[in-house]
Amino acid sequence: MEEVDRILIHALKQVGTEVAEETLSVKQFSSELIVQAVVRCIRVIDPGLGSALPTSLPPGMSARFRVGMSLAQACQDIGYKGEIGYQTFLYSNEPEIRSLLMFLVEKLPRESAEASDQPTGKSVVLQRAIAAAIRAQLVVPWLPPNCRLPLHTETQSPGALHSFHVQPLSLPHCTKGPGKNQLKVSCFTQAPLVLKMKVNDYQRDILPPVTAQPSHHASVVASILEQHMAELSAAQEWDSEWNSQGLLSRLTPQDYCSRKLSRLRKRIEEQLRSAALPPAESAFWGPRSTSDLSEILQAFRGSAPSEHILTKGTHFTHTRKFTFTQQQAAAGTSTSIPAGHQSESDIQLRQQDEQLSLQEHFQQLCSDVEQLTTDMKHMSVTNAQVLDELKQRDLGNSENKDKMQVKKKTIDLLPDTDNNMLKLQALVEASAKRVVNLASQWEKHRAPLIDEHRRLKEICSNQDLESSRKLSEIKSLHDKIRVSTEEAKKKEEIYKQLVTELENLPQDASRSAYTQRILEIVSNIKKQKEEITKILSDTKELQKEINSLTGKLDRTFAVTDELVFKDAKKDESVRKSYKYLAALHENCNQLIQTIEDTGTILREIRDLEEQIETENVSKTVANLERIQDDYKAIRQENSALAAKVREG
Amino acid sequence: MAATEAQFMLSVGLIEKDVNGDTLWVWCFPSVGSDLRQVLLSKCCLTQEGRDFHTFVFGQFCRTWYYVTTVEVQEPTALHKVTHFSIVVTAKDFNPEKYAALSRILCRTYIKHGSPVKMMEAYVTVLTQGICQSDENGSFLIKDYDVRKAYLAGSVKDVVSQFGMETVILYTALMLKKRIIVHHPRIEALLEFTRVLPTLTWHRKDWSVLHPYVHLTDTEIEDLKKCPGYVAGFVDPEVSNRSDLFDVYVNLRDSVITVSQSAKESMAMGKLHKDIGRLIVQSAEDAERSDSQVIKDISVKTKEILANLVALADKCEDSKITLQGLKQHHFPPATENFLFHLAAAEQLLRI
């Protein structure tokens, strides 16, 4: 009971009831306290109902009566099924109050349910903290700069902004830092172990910590973020590339990296080589200074669509070219201006002369060019003819050579035609047979080799299938690993969060007390149940025995009675003994009856005693006295009111 | 003669495709150079993945004619693990029908016996005696396949009906020993069309300018460039971008003939060409005349022109024509141009 009361008091305190520290059980609740507690509970459960009810009993009796009625009504509205009326509050008794308070406390909405609905996770906690901080800052009113307290300058003035500058950092265990490059460069000169020690010394003694490395303090955060992002993204990229292409290529990671490196180097070399050639050829034809850059850039563009940087470059050089030519034209016109000081006719004559000579020169050049073109055409045609002739003659030569050889051999054989013919035929047949023989021998060697080749190829392709299947299995395993690590991480976070929440929970009215009590009660009930069953079985046994004994008794008496009665007619002593037997039987029956009655009466006594106990608890006598007093008080009030009415 | 004709045969090779999907050059007699072997493997349709199956293709490489017959292996057969195979016969002469027939016999022998030895026996008999027993009734005789028949096997009328008056462009290009490239996605159409074109210059009877099946690889292009004038057939549509390789481009599928910029000047055509063109079209449209008669008509006209040219040459010293000599006759400029270039082609021009 104490624990129940403690829980009730704790819950009521949470609702807002002012319970004094000494009250430890519901028995000690006064009517005032009861009313306060109930009203506060109702206010929490159902604000609509609760707002109409006062938290304290008014002094007047009828008012108190009314308040009691309304409270009882409210409790019934909420759903209390037990017997409730104004007397529960004004003339309370412990069991009723306890059950009512328990019902109300159970009805209280669970605040903790809100917290458990929100998603767990470190980032959510962080976000909630950020949201709370921003909310708090927004609540603070804006003040003009002169009125600001130092507390507000951080959040209300713009002076604290810094731009995002990044500087490279040097970390001891990073994958891409100057440390590793140094290692590569000087590994040709010193032993790697010595160098590693030196690098470690440098990192331990001389290298400043990360927060001191950037030149500007404001760049520390930015630099660290950048470094971390770069490392993380590089690791992720490598992971994804390795999982997709690297595993497929079936090489070790180092082999794969080295092969990729050589491939990229080759491509770069090719691009540079192909880009280097065209500008060299076309450099003769255009003005050097301005179009070199644009041509090189155009060559680099190649067949791929150009990037914006390159087009900007060419636009820039184009505009430069235009301005350059304009300047040239301007320069040209400026040089011709000083000559205008001399007389006009001289100038005209000289100009005409110049024009004529230039025209002659031009015509000469044109005719030269024409002549050259016709010569070239003629040359090309004759060249083609000559080449053609040469080719034909070559072919003719080789054909004739072959023919000549055949004819020579024939001539040698001519003298003895028939014999030689026969010999030749035999020779031809023999060599044909020999060739066929050789071919069959070769076939004996070749066929097994080809079969072997095909068989091995089949095995190879089967193995390829196997390995690709295993590769896909490995991939799926990788995925599973990834998923499981993520889940494990999540669960770790949830666990940490729950641990912190648990620590933050209020320590009083701990759950362990509840659970322990419940377990104790359960074990007690179990024991009692056992005992009850034992008693029941004992009782059953006894009852059975009683029944059997009674039956035996009856039968024995019947037999004895008959036996004795038979002899009683003849003998006097037998008659006396029969009378004694009957009396004995009668007395024993009475004794048994008395014992049974005693038992029943004892049970009744026990029941009555229990009733007296329960009635004593509900302090009926005190309540009756109070009711009588209150009744007298109400009568007095009524008479007072009646008098007032009569007067006024 | 059977003997000299048999000397034209150079080698026979065997390419197999097996159940693993590999295409291998498995056997040859007597020997095939590695360059030629590479080319032959590329011509064989078994190496070209997923494309159609060409039963018979032929072409020229390094003045060697090759004839590739491809067969799908079907039961009953002595060949295991082989799904398809090709027999390649190389020879010095152009005679597709002869070598197709020979290849068929060799294929059947190979399928039946499963060993190239038997096939080689048949080949050697043809080589030594010019005759070979075939599975079908009768035997294969070399002398049944005259080269003239091979030359005349195509149909000039089809060419003229497809191109009409533009056939005279082809005629001019062939006469002037220009470089003609024909494109069609199907190799059979290419082979059929290109083998007819040298008939337009029947007086030369020169089929060595014909390269009916060429791929755009370095070795083949190098070999092609060695010939001053050629008729080359390409399946690859990329060849239309290679203007350095042709003077006349024929898109056979769309029936479009294009003359490249560099050759426009030498291929200028005038009244003479119009006459020739009209003659060709008239002769071909005549349903009564056969292909060989059409060819004969064209060659008669050609001989006429050549006779004129020779007459002109005789008038000059050392019977060689010069441009000045031509100019004296005041031909129309197109005709003069044509005669000048024709003289160069016929080696009548003074150097």
Side-chain angles (χ1 to χ4, degrees), chain A residues 377-378 381-382 385-386 388-389 391-392 395 428 432 435-436 439-440 442-443 446 450 453-454 457-458, chain B residues 16 18 20 22 24 26 29 63 81-82 116-117 120-121 124 128 177 265 340-341 344 347 349 351:
Chain A
K377 271 187 236 164
H378 192 261
V381 169
T382 44
Q385 180 188 316
V386 166
D388 198 20
E389 210 181 313
K391 199 160 163 248
Q392 280 185 4
L395 286 169
V428 161
V435 157
V436 169
S440 56
W442 165 238
E443 188 59 25
R446 186 194 74 96
I450 279 271
H453 172 92
R454 291 200 169 125
K457 217 46 202 303
E458 235 181 276
Chain B
E16 276 178 2
D18 54 29
N20 295 329
D22 285 335
L24 304 166
V26 295
F29 171 77
R63 299 201 67 88
K81 290 200 179 184
V82 177
V117 178
M120 207 192 83
E121 269 184 42
V124 165
T128 50
K177 293 199 179 168
E265 204 217 306
F340 176 61
H341 283 94
Q347 293 168 5
L349 201 62
I351 304 163

Side-chain angles (χ1 to χ4, degrees), chain A residues 409-425:
Chain A
K409 286 193 188 148
T410 331
I411 286 170
D412 286 341
L413 293 172
L414 263 179
D416 192 10
T417 345
D418 297 323
N419 272 344
N420 284 337
M421 281 285 285
L422 286 168
K423 268 196 221 161
L424 265 177
Q425 272 180 351

